[in-house]
Amino acid sequence: MTKIQHLVNVSGGKDSTAVYLRAIELGRPFRAVFADTGNEDQRVYDYVAELAHKTGGPEVETVRADFSRQLAQHREYLINEWPAELTAGRPGKWSFRRRRETQAEFEELAVAVRTGGTITWTMEPTIPKPDDGDVFDSWRAPIPDPNGAWVWTAGFHPMSTEEAAEVVRIAAALHEPTGNPFLDLCISKGRFPSRMAQFCTEELKTLPITTQVVGPMLKAGPVLQWLGIRAEESANRAKQARFNRHESGSMVWRPIFDWTIEQVWAQHRKHGIQPNPLYSLGMGRVGCMPCINCRKSELRNIADLFPGHIERIRQWEEVVASANKRRSATFFPAVTDPTDVERPGTYSRIDTLIEWSRTSRGGRQFDLFFQAQAGGGCTSDLGLCERSAA
């Protein structure tokens, strides 16, 4: 009979460490894996690297995504296609983004589907579609509607042949692998991930672990992945099953699903293991720094305590902006805000957001975005990103 192979996903955070320690306690042979996104603090790398030595457990294997193929493909595309596209320009357009239905509306819809009845509400816009005006505008403010909002898809003005050639030259030169998975991914995509397009988790964590570790393990027999997910972290995680099959073909188990935060810290104390030092430095979570889903307070803490990370994001914004047709890129979603006084009507970059994070004035659109954030961490069903500490 083929034995089950056990794999613990490690992030360097408190929950995955508790799972790693639990696996040691249960005495089953297991492997451990960490996905390096390239957007981590050095303390995370050090903590993960020292975990085996401090606990007597297995070494934590590190995987990294490689985007060499995607960069080469996109480089060929931009060399061949961008000149014509840039000289022609691209018109922007208005589109309606519907709001999410309320719980009451969802329940009414469910009844209507079951019974063949009708619903009493609509998601259609109540405000007519705005005039297009200058269709080459790169930005226009969203227009709120009771059922959602009219949003503008950016356009860009036609360029001269010489201007287009220079843009292509610079972008092509940047499509060489940098060795940093996060930056290479963003260059190949021509943008940073966002809450609405959160491709970072899949590309930087799920796929590398699946293709480099889980896939080869499955050839030798069944695989059980141990995940550091707890129900009290968020409402979405509370809905997850303790045990289920993953699309990779492995099975997944959440052994600390019903643990409290105090039980997690008690597990560290029981084994004489200090938590990741980032917690004692004021961080509520461990993972990407910053995470695209971070809150205002977390962004402020990172800027105050770890300014080197902000400098890195500042450099990345310049690089990714130079590698796409729009010549614009922001690490956080592109919201224009009254605090962006130096460049009104343009997308705010990291420096403006940092300045705003240290104030309690203005910044209405920034506030609307960041207050809606769930806190740092992703929604990965493999628990590959940690949520903010309770």
Side-chain angles (χ1 to χ4, degrees), residues 310-381:
I310 302 304
E311 172 60 26
R312 172 170 49 79
I313 298 302
R314 185 181 300 117
Q315 295 173 1
W316 284 3
E317 286 184 330
E318 293 293 337
V319 170
V320 177
S322 297
N324 68 48
K325 284 185 294 217
R326 300 181 306 279
R327 312 291 288 166
S328 176
T330 58
F331 185 82
F332 292 106
V335 288
T336 295
D337 195 85
T339 59
D340 193 8
V341 294
E342 293 183 357
R343 298 183 303 151
T346 62
Y347 294 156
S348 297
R349 292 193 179 184
I350 190 67
D351 288 321
T352 302
L353 280 165
I354 296 302
E355 180 182 357
W356 161 81
S357 74
R358 292 173 172 147
T359 70
S360 59
R361 57 177 173 76
R364 178 175 178 273
Q365 290 188 31
F366 287 154
D367 276 328
L368 288 174
F369 168 73
F370 279 90
Q371 287 175 2
Q373 295 281 61
C378 65
T379 56
S380 166
D381 61 347

Side-chain angles (χ1 to χ4, degrees), residues 145-371:
D145 181 277
N147 289 326
W150 286 101
V151 295
W152 179 254
T153 300
F156 58 85
H157 286 271
M159 298 181 184
S160 68
T161 302
E162 293 76 16
E163 290 173 330
E166 180 64 7
V167 169
V168 170
R169 183 190 67 80
I170 293 173
L174 290 170
H175 277 68
E176 295 291 340
T178 67
N180 184 295
F182 195 102
L183 180 56
D184 285 349
L185 171 62
C186 295
I187 292 173
S188 69
K189 294 280 190 181
R191 58 166 295 180
F192 290 97
S194 68
R195 189 169 52 185
M196 300 299 293
Q198 197 162 314
F199 50 78
C200 46
T201 305
E202 180 75 8
E203 296 277 4
L204 296 171
K205 295 191 174 187
T206 304
L207 286 177
I209 290 176
T210 299
T211 58
Q212 298 178 39
V213 179
V214 176
M217 289 178 70
L218 285 170
K219 294 180 180 179
V223 175
L224 178 65
Q225 296 196 65
W226 299 39
L227 312 180
I229 288 180
R230 294 182 299 112
E232 74 171 17
E233 290 182 278
S234 70
N236 285 335
R237 291 196 168 184
K239 297 176 184 177
Q240 295 186 19
R242 291 199 62 162
F243 185 86
N244 65 277
R245 179 175 294 278
H246 187 253
E247 60 185 9
S248 64
S250 68
M251 301 300 292
V252 295
W253 180 38
R254 300 163 180 82
I256 65 169
F257 188 72
D258 56 359
W259 283 26
T260 64
I261 182 66
E262 177 52 38
Q263 287 177 292
V264 171
W265 296 133
Q267 179 78 334
H268 286 69
R269 293 191 296 269
K270 178 180 178 181
H271 289 264
I273 300 300
Q274 291 293 322
N276 190 303
L278 285 172
Y279 294 118
S280 63
L281 290 172
M283 299 306 297
R285 53 169 291 280
V286 169
C288 284
M289 189 177 285
C291 173
I292 60 168
N293 290 325
C294 76
R295 289 176 174 154
K296 180 179 183 179
S297 58
E298 184 178 354
L299 181 61
R300 181 176 62 249
N301 287 343
I302 292 173
D304 291 342
L305 298 171
F306 315 105
H309 288 292
I310 302 304
E311 172 60 26
R312 172 170 49 79
I313 298 302
R314 185 181 300 117
Q315 295 173 1
W316 284 3
E317 286 184 330
E318 293 293 337
V319 170
V320 177
S322 297
N324 68 48
K325 284 185 294 217
R326 300 181 306 279
R327 312 291 288 166
S328 176
T330 58
F331 185 82
F332 292 106
V335 288
T336 295
D337 195 85
T339 59
D340 193 8
V341 294
E342 293 183 357
R343 298 183 303 151
T346 62
Y347 294 156
S348 297
R349 292 193 179 184
I350 190 67
D351 288 321
T352 302
L353 280 165
I354 296 302
E355 180 182 357
W356 161 81
S357 74
R358 292 173 172 147
T359 70
S360 59
R361 57 177 173 76
R364 178 175 178 273
Q365 290 188 31
F366 287 154
D367 276 328
L368 288 174
F369 168 73
F370 279 90
Q371 287 175 2

Side-chain angles (χ1 to χ4, degrees), residues 38-56:
N39 187 26
E40 316 274 352
D41 186 83
Q42 184 58 45
R43 295 167 187 83
V44 173
Y45 298 124
D46 295 342
Y47 190 82
V48 169
E50 295 168 0
L51 198 56
H53 173 71
K54 292 182 176 180
T55 63

Side-chain angles (χ1 to χ4, degrees), residues 84-123:
E85 294 176 9
L86 292 171
T87 54
R90 183 179 69 189
K93 64 179 182 179
W94 288 106
S95 59
F96 190 72
R97 184 175 296 168
R98 291 179 172 83
R99 63 173 175 82
R100 292 183 178 181
E101 67 270 9
T102 65
Q103 183 62 32
E105 289 170 341
F106 179 80
E107 293 172 356
E108 182 183 347
L109 177 62
V111 171
V113 170
R114 288 197 305 269
T115 63
T118 60
I119 57 176
T120 59
W121 49 273
T122 179
M123 284 290 192

